[in-house]
Amino acid sequence: MSRQATVHEAADWPSHGGQAAALLKRFGLPDDHVVDDVSANLNPLGPPEWVASWLVTRLGGLSRYPSPDYASARQAIAAHNGVQPAQVLLTNGGAEAIFLATALHAGGRALLLAPSFGEYARACSAHRIETAENVLREPHFAGEMADLLEKAANADVVFLCRPNNPTGTLIPIDAVETLLAHTRETGTQVVVDEAFIDLSIGVEALTPLLKRYGHLVLLRSMTKFYTLPGVRLGYVLASENIVATMSHHQPPWSVNHLAAELVAPLLADSEFARLTQQWLASEQPRMGKALLALGLEVVPSHSCFFLVRPGVLQRERGVTSAALFERMLYKGLLARHTHSFKGLEGSWLRLALRDESANNRLLKVLHDCLC
Ligand SMILES: Cc1ncc(COP(=O)(O)O)c(C=O)c1O
């Protein structure tokens, strides 16, 4: 297969970030070609240093079943978010939270953003949910409010992602409130995935709205902020009724003992949170400007990743996103392709923020690849 043909065939690209082995194979590169991953949106400061040794001290618990209601983890999450423990469901990563939220509407209709995280559509399909889309249009990826309200009225559930993956864009809080007021009348549940809320700048979580809107469901992931994708920790915040109903769909002991035990000490680590916010506050704006200065089109992002594509002049010279992806891979950097995001179909790339020196390396490689 020619390299050109390989670049343009979108059908079988890996559906998530990372997966370097599959991509090296696809581009005919050797297995030992060293790549640095800028595709995964994970906090470069994590996991907190103490986690590995702390886990060792808890290994004894592996020979027992976890407590089925995860009372202490839920208590810690509730205190951290200012809600009641009965409003918390601990989940096996944010991904399980998404599947549980869709399970409530099996056989119904859902409204999704496009482009957005692909697991909402996959979960809907698994639960035979018919989907419609509120399209976020290039180049700013803002949605049409009238369209959102109209389509929401015909849906049982709306999935929002705030900030949105992969665009980093944010539905303003007053727009969310308009949607909540409207959907309260139409009986539509509103699910907001806040997986990146702690890795965002100037973005308020929607937690205070839970008091006023009983049909609001918030999904959280502890994966990104604590850099623990292998542990699988997430949770749902919602009304007591919704949490109780959702819990019926969750397999027993879905969260393993080590993960459940980790919740309270992770949330108590305020120094890790402070250092993360400090890193984000300095690197996020710096990289936003530096990417623009390279001539890239950069979607204004509120989070720890940027959706970019070569600027018009660069594209006219043949430096498309596909070409840039390939050049970067050859130079040892794995960007996130966007073939699996409906509405993008590979025409943009997503780049994750990392620490200062890794970010500088990214800028250097991009500079060389865009020449
Ligand atoms: C928006 C969003 N929600 C949820 C998830 C899933 O998170 P977790 O790894 O905790 O299952 C991801 C992972 O990429 C994500 O991007």
Side-chain angles (χ1 to χ4, degrees), residues 54-67 70 72-73 90 92 231-233 253-264:
W54 189 92
L55 283 174
V56 172
T57 67
R58 293 299 193 278
L59 292 180
L62 290 178
S63 54
R64 295 185 292 277
Y65 279 94
S67 105
Y70 301 108
S72 58
L90 187 69
N92 191 290
V231 166
R232 315 304 307 134
L233 262 180
W253 311 291
S254 187
V255 179
N256 73 73
H257 154 75
L258 293 176
E261 290 273 296
L262 253 184
V263 170

Side-chain angles (χ1 to χ4, degrees), residues 14 24 31 41 61 94 103 126 141 181 187 209 228 253 259:
L24 292 179
D31 297 349
N41 297 327
F141 294 98
L209 297 184
L228 291 170
W253 311 291

Side-chain angles (χ1 to χ4, degrees), residues 89-131:
L89 184 66
L90 187 69
T91 62
N92 191 290
E96 189 189 33
I98 293 170
F99 273 69
L100 291 174
T102 51
L104 298 188
H105 305 282
R109 287 178 296 185
L111 178 62
L112 310 180
L113 302 179
S116 195
F117 186 49
E119 291 303 316
Y120 315 125
R122 238 170 54 85
C124 285
S125 154
H127 292 106
R128 304 175 322 284
I129 295 174
E130 203 182 298
T131 56

